[in-house]
Amino acid sequence: MNLSKTHRDQTRERILDKAETLFAQKGYHAVSVREITTAAKCNMASVNYHFSNKKNLYLEVFRSRWIPREKKMYDTFIKNLARYDVPSPRESIEALAKAYLEGPLNEQELRRHRQLIIREINNPTEAFEIASDETSRPLFDTLYNLLKPFMPPGTQADLTFDVMSIFGIVLYMNYSRPMVSRITGKTYDDTFKSLLIEQMVRFSLQGLGVEKNT
């Protein structure tokens, strides 16, 4: 049976869409190829043709869906920094927090993004290494290098852990929105996001010991 390239591309994208949804809902190990083909309304041969096997399909979900979304947030972080000649620690941390809490992902994208990485962290595969190397490491290095010149003498040795702590705060406030909303009784509207961003910046600066310098 001869299929046009357009039809093949559409089938491939449909498989990726349904696979990402199922992997996000259940995790890699709990999803069968049969479930994916049923949801995507295609046959096993289509998965084999485009991805060879479930593992390759899962990795492609990260490469073509999760990583581009994460890079959108990194690009927003860099764009937020571009307004400053030499960003201060406050400006750098605020730029990071805004990139994650204020955009560029919509709620549906964010939910799928969050579910997928949480399941991957709980049961790591090769996708975790890909995500870490292509997104987390560049983001870490950028923030580390932005903050390093401002650190008080004798504190630079702890900066790696300080940056990890800042990441932890920002990622938790972004990816744990249902829990944060439940505890605070607040919805993630613009006012609440602004409040959270300011709190994260203030808390991080105090932890770094650079509040008086910014």
Side-chain angles (χ1 to χ4, degrees):
M1 179 179 181
N2 294 322
L3 297 176
S4 68
K5 183 178 184 303
T6 299
H7 184 80
R8 290 197 301 271
D9 289 346
Q10 290 174 344
T11 300
R12 185 179 187 278
E13 291 303 303
R14 192 167 66 250
I15 293 171
L16 283 169
D17 283 340
K18 299 304 181 181
E20 183 181 18
T21 298
L22 289 168
F23 288 140
Q25 291 174 346
K26 299 182 177 183
Y28 171 73
H29 298 288
V31 177
S32 68
V33 175
R34 179 66 65 189
E35 285 181 272
I36 295 170
T37 57
T38 298
K41 295 182 171 57
C42 67
N43 53 38
M44 298 282 286
S46 295
V47 173
N48 293 333
Y49 174 80
H50 290 289
F51 307 101
S52 297
N53 53 50
K54 186 178 95 167
K55 179 181 177 181
N56 287 341
L57 170 56
Y58 183 68
L59 294 179
E60 185 58 28
V61 165
F62 268 83
R63 289 192 182 100
S64 66
R65 302 301 171 87
W66 194 90
I67 288 175
R69 286 196 299 263
E70 192 71 14
K71 286 183 176 179
K72 281 184 180 181
M73 289 187 280
Y74 177 82
D75 290 343
T76 301
F77 172 45
I78 299 301
K79 183 179 178 181
N80 290 343
L81 291 171
R83 70 189 69 175
Y84 311 111
D85 292 332
V86 180
S88 67
R90 167 173 284 276
E91 291 161 347
S92 297
I93 297 167
E94 184 179 70
L96 177 67
K98 285 185 174 182
Y100 275 81
L101 265 73
E102 294 184 346
L105 305 185
N106 61 41
E107 288 300 320
Q108 182 178 357
E109 290 174 323
L110 182 62
R111 185 182 305 110
R112 184 180 293 190
H113 195 74
R114 175 181 68 236
Q115 289 174 333
L116 199 58
I117 195 60
I118 287 174
R119 292 194 179 280
E120 178 59 26
I121 289 172
N122 288 336
N123 292 283
T125 69
E126 290 176 37
F128 181 77
E129 298 177 11
I130 295 170
S132 297
D133 291 345
E134 294 193 23
T135 62
S136 299
R137 171 55 65 179
L139 186 61
F140 176 91
D141 289 344
T142 299
L143 186 59
Y144 181 95
N145 290 325
L146 286 166
L147 296 177
K148 185 176 179 179
F150 295 91
M151 296 302 294
T155 63
Q156 290 192 355
D158 298 325
L159 185 55
T160 294
F161 298 103
D162 292 336
V163 173
M164 292 301 299
S165 296
I166 294 169
F167 275 0
I169 294 169
V170 173
L171 294 179
Y172 180 83
M173 291 300 188
N174 189 46
Y175 293 146
S176 300
R177 293 188 183 198
M179 177 65 73
V180 174
S181 291
R182 181 73 176 178
I183 291 173
T184 62
K186 305 288 187 180
T187 59
Y188 270 69
D189 57 19
D190 291 343
T191 300
F192 186 55
K193 289 177 185 177
S194 295
L195 179 66
L196 286 177
I197 290 167
E198 176 55 32
Q199 190 277 336
M200 285 187 283
V201 172
R202 177 187 58 78
F203 190 85
S204 297
L205 291 174
Q206 290 180 352
L208 290 170
V210 297
E211 179 77 57
K212 62 180 178 297
N213 299 323
T214 59

